[in-house]
Amino acid sequence: MEENGLVQTDDFQHMLRVLNTNIDGRRTVIYALTSIKGIGRRFADLICKKAEIDSTKRAGEMDDEEIERLIAIIANPRHFEIPGWFLNRQKDYKTGKDKQVYAQNVASSLRDDLTRLKQIRSHKGIRHYWGVRVRGQHTCTTGRRRTAVGMS
């Protein structure tokens, strides 16, 4: 069976559900994994190498065992010898450990960080509270039409 230049088998899945995210099965595994929040191209490539999955393979061609290996590596990257500098949440404020934040945890950790900054009344937290530029941009003559865009 051939569709859009792709040879598909009978067990091809067009949509996968991984970590509460819909993944397009027609894309290659690396680029399909980037649709999960908190997982970029480099981290997706690394976890595919650790799980021993061919990077040219389509996401819809993966079987359940390969998906479970990917989920296990994403959930505990330190157990699979992924270095701490590669993770997106280094030295977490509450636990002090390096970890990978993904899916719904990205938004909740960002919200927690902003709440903490506002509560301790740091400069960055106050700027977030006021809704003005946070990262040192000029505000006198620019940005008059709409409010600050970005992390708030």
Side-chain angles (χ1 to χ4, degrees):
M1 168 189 300
E2 177 138 354
E3 181 181 315
N4 297 338
L6 302 175
V7 178
Q8 297 178 354
T9 59
D10 292 333
D11 57 345
F12 186 84
Q13 296 176 336
H14 290 278
M15 291 298 284
L16 298 167
R17 187 80 173 162
V18 177
L19 298 172
N20 293 330
T21 306
N22 292 331
I23 293 179
D24 186 11
R26 295 172 296 179
R27 299 173 78 186
T28 57
V29 177
I30 293 173
Y31 290 102
L33 286 174
T34 59
S35 61
I36 300 172
K37 277 193 168 200
I39 297 178
R41 289 182 302 201
R42 291 190 66 211
F43 189 69
D45 185 37
L46 183 65
I47 61 176
C48 285
K49 287 177 182 174
K50 293 287 183 182
E52 298 174 356
I53 296 174
D54 185 19
S55 60
T56 60
K57 190 181 212 180
R58 301 284 169 179
E61 297 171 354
M62 289 193 303
D63 57 353
D64 293 335
E65 179 192 332
E66 292 173 331
I67 294 172
E68 290 299 322
R69 280 190 301 199
L70 286 176
I71 292 172
I73 294 172
I74 293 170
N76 293 315
R78 299 292 288 168
H79 292 288
F80 293 92
E81 299 172 359
I82 293 177
W85 55 264
F86 212 95
L87 306 179
N88 64 3
R89 183 88 171 157
Q90 297 165 7
K91 200 173 178 187
D92 184 42
Y93 180 73
K94 293 179 182 175
T95 62
K97 297 181 179 179
D98 300 336
K99 63 181 183 178
Q100 181 74 17
V101 181
Y102 54 89
Q104 300 92 347
N105 299 337
V106 174
S108 64
S109 64
L110 178 64
R111 186 176 53 250
D112 292 344
D113 290 343
L114 292 179
T115 305
R116 183 178 58 84
L117 288 173
K118 290 174 189 175
Q119 284 177 349
I120 64 173
R121 305 293 290 169
S122 70
H123 178 73
K124 202 172 179 182
I126 292 170
R127 303 285 291 186
H128 273 292
Y129 179 74
W130 288 340
V132 294
R133 304 287 169 126
V134 176
R135 298 182 178 180
Q137 298 95 326
H138 292 264
T139 57
C140 183
T141 58
T142 62
R144 293 181 178 180
R145 262 186 273 176
R146 55 191 142 102
T147 58
V149 181
M151 293 193 49
S152 60

